[in-house]
Amino acid sequence: MAAKKLRRAQLSQEMCERLSRYQITTCQDFLCLSLLELMKVTGQSYHEVQKLLCKVSRACAPKMQTAYEMKLRKSVNPSSAFLSTTLHSLDRVLHGGVPCGSLTEITSPPGCGKTQFCIMLSVLATLPVSMGGLDGAVIYIDTESAFSAERLIEIAANRFPAYYDSDEKLLCMTRSIHLYRELTCCSVLKRIMSLEEDIILKKVKLVIIDSVASVVRKEFDTKLQGNLAERSNFLNRGASVLKYLAEEFTIPVILTNQITTALSSGPGLRADLVSPADDLSLSEGSSVSGKRDSGYVTAALGNTWSHSVNTRLILQYHDLPTRQKRTSRYVQWHVT
Amino acid sequence: MQREVGTLPLAPALRARLAAAGFQTAQELLDTGPCGLSKEIGISREEALEALQVVRQECHGDTARAAGGSGATRKCTALELLEEEQTQGFIITFCSALDNILGGGVQLTKITEICGAPGVGKTQLCMQLAVDVQIPECFGGVAGEAVFIDTEGSFMVDRVVDIAAACVQHCHLIAEAQPEEDHGKALETFSVENILSHIYCFRCRDYTELLAQVYLLPEFLAEHSKVRLVVIDGIAFPFRHDFEDLALRTRLLNGLAQQLIITANEHRAAVVLTNQMTTRIGQSQSTLVPALGESWGHAATVRLIFHWDNTQRLATLYKSPSQKESTIAYEITPHGFRDVQPPAGTASTEGTEPNPRKRPRTEEEKQQ
């Protein structure tokens, strides 16, 4: 919308030519100028410039819809609002499953099962709607080369033996999962930008990026000057494109993240906690009080990234003896 | 009438020609007339006439203002302002502790900014306010409509349905406990469908769409005169990436803030903005501060910061012209934004009104 050319905003031809002499060709350039600057470049009076501003704004402003219309549109298609994970307690906590149309992040210590979870969701997405799936293709962007096709078939065959009873059906399922191996930040971003056409062409219903953290942390060392800003920039751009895709096509987008240790220097840093759910050491049992002083573990990529995702799932190991009172808030699951 | 030609809102090229021809005051222009003007500076008669009409309008506006009439700049005494403020409504938040520290609720004609870490409840409060602004006047509300400008995609319709249902039920209970005639009539129109159809949502994907929408806001509010709340959920998100020129960003944000203040005052609406938190790296430690820089801190009249203390959500009134700085605790329940429930023992000594807020809650809303 921002890159919309002014001549499509229904400004007159001579006005567009005049503005292009000052390098103002898109709506974005036009709206970034103040009224006095606009008067200078257009050569119009104050009131005329205000009218022009309204015209250009109308060309790029979003359409209005009331909350009621949004609700009606959703109720027309209720089954497509969530992708059920088939883990009943998790589905209950998430009110139906992984939500379509928003970003969901899965974060955990290494080896907890993030990639397994992603593979299982890929299988679920290819199932027909009657079985709780989305009946569509999956785009899997793998940055750690952790995706195993054999494991995919194993999960599909063992989980849904009645549906995947023949090799042909399994092969059909594997054909609809598109795997892209991207090993640098730049290529990941390029791939994300080109997803729109792929989604339409291949009828994709689920996008998985496993994992965002590994490729970002490899390339950006936050101790170096300037890298923090560049990293935030990259993450924000990726997040906004993914949000646009998720909303436009009403599909779930799943991202995986890693855990990092934030070193603290005492009680002063308590206030910096972005969210208590992020502090995994809280669940380690407050009986060991001395443990807290050295640091706490939290999801990686900083709090700017935390603002960008809509839902965050944290997987962790569960120690039965020390955490009984917390079990109601955590969902237990096993990888089989 | 003695106004200088250079201050008139004419096209710059025309102004330059008038200055070159030697015109200095507006009165001279009016005396010359359109034909004389067109001959002297070499423009067509129609253009000259247009210019003179603009000049006449400006001067008429000036004299009207000088005589103390209505215009862009209002002049009134502090007593008139006091009376206005006392009769002004507040938009309640259903969390009585928060309403108390705000002095009654979210004030109309002021900009309130809510900063907080992700997941702490900023969007929940915005959705709660979009429902609360529609409470009829007989129940203590302002009976207005809401505009919701969403830049992050966090507006969940299902959640608004839950909040609206709880609000309608609350009003029904009040009407039963203290029946009055207007209650019945108001409740007929106060239903979930009605509430939803009076929340106008705009989804802005980048800062250009946000700027365009704010420029078009006065026109929209003129058409929908009952709007009393404008929420911009996520003013930080579109401005935090893809901006190499920070000076441009500051300028655009200041322009936005001024537009919003003008809109808030002219239409007697409350403007609520939500902001993100960013990490400021200090010498010895890093702290969380509101995003968008120091100069943005001046834009809002009232600033609330939401944060965590272990697992308790707290709200701090950080900046306010009339209330003192204080911190309260709040909760997000399936019914919306509420007070923290006291432990079960004190709940039994409740008053006569069957207030659903006081029933002890065991669930907590987990999803962001």
Side-chain angles (χ1 to χ4, degrees):
Chain A
M1 269 306 176
K4 197 167 179 179
K5 297 282 183 200
L6 283 173
R7 65 188 115 83
R8 280 171 32 224
Q10 294 173 359
L11 286 186
S12 67
Q13 185 68 13
E14 38 167 315
M15 180 61 63
C16 293
E17 275 170 18
R18 187 187 172 132
L19 288 171
S20 61
R21 256 178 274 146
Y22 292 93
Q23 270 102 48
I24 301 171
T25 46
T26 63
C27 291
Q28 185 170 356
D29 302 330
F30 193 88
L31 289 174
C32 281
L33 298 172
S34 69
L35 277 172
L36 287 179
E37 284 171 349
L38 281 174
M39 277 175 75
K40 191 174 77 154
V41 301
T42 59
Q44 302 277 329
S45 69
Y46 190 72
H47 298 295
E48 285 297 313
V49 162
Q50 282 188 321
K51 282 193 217 153
L52 279 178
L53 206 57
C54 277
K55 220 184 202 173
V56 174
S57 300
R58 249 186 291 270
C60 34
K63 209 172 68 95
M64 189 270 286
Q65 42 178 347
T66 65
Y68 190 52
E69 287 164 16
M70 287 168 78
K71 175 164 168 266
L72 282 180
R73 205 168 330 121
K74 270 193 137 183
S75 57
V76 161
N77 225 349
S79 57
S80 67
F82 292 101
L83 167 61
S84 159
T85 60
T86 67
L87 299 169
H88 296 294
S89 24
L90 182 61
D91 281 346
R92 199 166 18 100
V93 169
L94 289 176
H95 286 249
V98 173
C100 291
S102 68
L103 269 57
T104 306
E105 183 192 86
I106 304 175
T107 187
S108 79
C112 239
K114 297 188 289 294
T115 307
Q116 301 297 309
F117 193 65
C118 291
I119 295 179
M120 191 182 79
L121 284 175
S122 321
V123 173
L124 289 175
T126 53
L127 289 176
V129 180
S130 51
M131 290 181 70
L134 295 175
D135 195 22
V138 176
I139 286 188
Y140 197 109
I141 300 179
D142 185 8
T143 63
E144 294 175 324
S145 302
F147 187 86
S148 154
E150 276 189 23
R151 183 68 178 133
L152 175 73
I153 298 193
E154 194 184 353
I155 292 180
N158 286 320
R159 203 67 200 282
F160 304 102
Y163 184 71
Y164 289 114
D165 47 5
S166 66
D167 278 341
E168 199 190 298
K169 279 215 178 124
L170 282 173
L171 284 175
C172 191
M173 183 263 294
T174 52
R175 253 195 293 270
S176 54
I177 298 187
H178 305 275
L179 181 70
Y180 296 102
R181 282 221 166 90
E182 309 290 349
L183 298 168
T184 63
C185 280
C186 210
S187 54
V188 168
L189 197 59
K190 237 194 292 189
R191 177 64 58 194
I192 293 177
M193 301 288 187
S194 69
L195 276 181
E196 190 170 352
E197 295 182 9
D198 284 333
I199 293 177
I200 302 178
L201 203 60
K202 300 177 180 145
K203 300 201 197 346
V204 169
K205 290 284 193 233
L206 173 65
V207 175
I208 299 181
I209 304 188
D210 177 24
S211 76
V212 179
S214 71
V215 65
V216 167
R217 295 174 84 191
K218 245 186 343 199
E219 285 189 26
F220 293 104
D221 181 2
T222 50
K223 289 194 203 57
L224 294 177
Q225 187 76 283
N227 264 10
L228 194 57
E230 231 185 280
R231 185 182 87 159
S232 299
N233 220 349
F234 162 76
L235 287 174
N236 275 331
R237 278 172 68 194
S240 63
V241 175
L242 287 171
K243 271 200 200 196
Y244 163 70
L245 291 172
E247 278 178 27
E248 186 70 31
F249 298 104
T250 331
I251 55 174
V253 174
I254 298 184
L255 311 146
T256 54
N257 197 358
Q258 291 171 354
I259 297 291
T260 181
T261 315
L263 296 166
S264 77
S265 50
L269 211 56
R270 264 290 111 234
D272 287 344
L273 204 47
V274 169
S275 140
D278 285 349
D279 184 356
L280 299 178
S281 72
L282 260 184
S283 48
E284 233 74 289
S286 38
S287 52
V288 192
S289 58
K291 215 168 161 192
R292 295 263 212 110
D293 298 324
S294 54
Y296 57 93
V297 287
T298 175
L301 299 182
N303 67 69
T304 307
W305 176 252
S306 309
H307 280 289
S308 305
V309 299
N310 300 101
T311 315
R312 179 174 266 178
L313 288 174
I314 300 182
L315 312 178
Q316 42 184 313
Y317 293 105
H318 176 87
D319 264 327
L320 283 168
T322 49
R323 285 202 276 121
Q324 241 131 22
K325 65 177 164 86
R326 298 253 180 183
T327 42
S328 58
R329 293 178 52 191
Y330 293 88
V331 171
Q332 293 192 350
W333 70 310
H334 306 280
V335 181
T336 54
Chain B
M1 280 314 176
Q2 293 308 308
R3 194 162 155 181
E4 282 208 25
V5 165
T7 63
L8 294 168
L10 299 168
L14 187 56
R15 276 210 305 263
R17 285 205 215 197
L18 289 171
F23 286 101
Q24 279 187 351
T25 66
Q27 188 61 42
E28 284 179 29
L29 284 181
L30 291 173
D31 286 339
T32 318
C35 295
L37 201 60
S38 72
K39 281 194 211 114
E40 263 199 64
I41 56 177
I43 54 175
S44 72
R45 286 198 200 133
E46 288 78 19
E47 284 175 18
L49 184 61
E50 250 184 72
L52 282 182
Q53 279 173 343
V54 168
V55 172
R56 206 165 284 135
Q57 207 179 28
E58 276 299 304
C59 295
H60 180 73
D62 281 345
T63 46
R65 253 179 298 219
S70 66
T73 49
R74 275 187 342 155
K75 212 173 54 174
C76 53
T77 64
L79 181 63
E80 288 167 22
L81 273 181
L82 178 66
E83 286 167 9
E84 225 181 84
E85 277 181 21
Q86 280 176 341
T87 53
Q88 196 152 267
F90 292 91
I91 306 178
I92 62 170
T93 61
F94 266 107
C95 171
S96 54
L98 189 60
D99 287 339
N100 279 336
I101 63 166
L102 285 173
V106 172
Q107 255 185 317
L108 299 182
T109 75
K110 301 261 190 299
I111 301 189
T112 307
E113 188 183 340
I114 306 172
C115 316
V120 76
K122 306 185 289 293
T123 308
Q124 297 294 312
L125 179 59
C126 291
M127 294 196 280
Q128 181 75 59
L129 288 172
V131 169
D132 290 347
V133 74
Q134 307 190 36
I135 296 179
E137 279 165 1
C138 51
F139 291 106
V142 296
E145 301 174 355
V147 167
F148 200 104
I149 301 180
D150 185 12
T151 60
E152 297 174 338
S154 41
F155 185 74
M156 298 276 138
V157 185
D158 302 314
R159 184 68 180 133
V160 179
V161 168
D162 289 342
I163 295 179
C167 185
V168 169
Q169 199 203 20
H170 184 82
C171 289
H172 274 284
L173 287 170
I174 296 183
E176 277 170 34
Q178 302 154 353
E180 283 172 36
E181 328 97 57
D182 0 343
H183 283 184
K185 212 164 21 131
L187 279 177
E188 278 167 36
T189 49
F190 192 58
S191 66
V192 174
E193 287 81 29
N194 248 329
I195 296 178
L196 288 181
S197 21
H198 291 305
I199 301 180
Y200 306 107
C201 306
F202 297 88
R203 174 81 174 92
C204 294
R205 297 248 153 77
D206 52 37
Y207 73 88
T208 313
E209 288 187 20
L210 181 61
L211 284 173
Q213 191 50 52
V214 174
Y215 281 131
L216 292 178
L217 209 52
E219 203 184 298
F220 185 83
L221 293 184
E223 284 170 25
H224 299 85
S225 57
K226 285 188 76 186
V227 171
R228 288 284 171 268
L229 173 69
V230 175
V231 176
I232 302 188
D233 186 11
I235 194 141
F237 186 67
F239 285 102
R240 290 190 76 197
H241 64 101
D242 258 359
F243 249 107
E244 300 89 23
D245 187 1
L246 282 184
L248 175 65
R249 185 178 94 165
T250 313
R251 202 184 40 151
L252 290 178
L253 283 172
N254 281 337
L256 258 185
Q258 281 188 335
Q259 286 283 122
L260 291 171
I261 293 177
I262 294 176
T263 310
N265 269 312
E266 272 183 7
H267 294 96
R268 277 196 67 230
V271 175
V272 174
L273 312 168
T274 59
N275 197 358
Q276 295 176 351
M277 300 295 261
T278 183
T279 320
R280 183 196 288 161
I281 319 271
Q283 288 101 348
S284 52
Q285 57 173 17
S286 45
T287 48
L288 277 183
V289 295
L292 296 181
E294 297 282 344
S295 50
W296 176 250
H298 296 287
T301 321
V302 177
R303 209 174 214 193
L304 280 170
I305 298 195
F306 286 2
H307 53 110
W308 299 92
D309 175 25
N310 273 340
T311 49
Q312 179 59 55
R313 298 169 202 254
L314 299 173
T316 304
L317 183 66
Y318 193 70
K319 173 184 175 191
S320 164
S322 52
Q323 308 296 320
K324 73 174 172 123
E325 183 174 326
S326 38
T327 306
I328 54 108
Y330 66 91
E331 259 182 10
I332 313 279
T333 67
H335 295 258
F337 206 83
R338 295 286 189 271
D339 279 307
V340 171
Q341 299 307 312
T346 54
S348 52
T349 60
E350 229 330 278
T352 50
E353 186 177 296
N355 197 333
R357 281 194 273 152
K358 302 290 189 187
R359 260 184 271 125
R361 307 220 176 276
T362 47
E363 287 179 72
E364 219 201 314
E365 180 67 11
K366 284 285 282 182
Q367 196 166 356
Q368 288 186 34

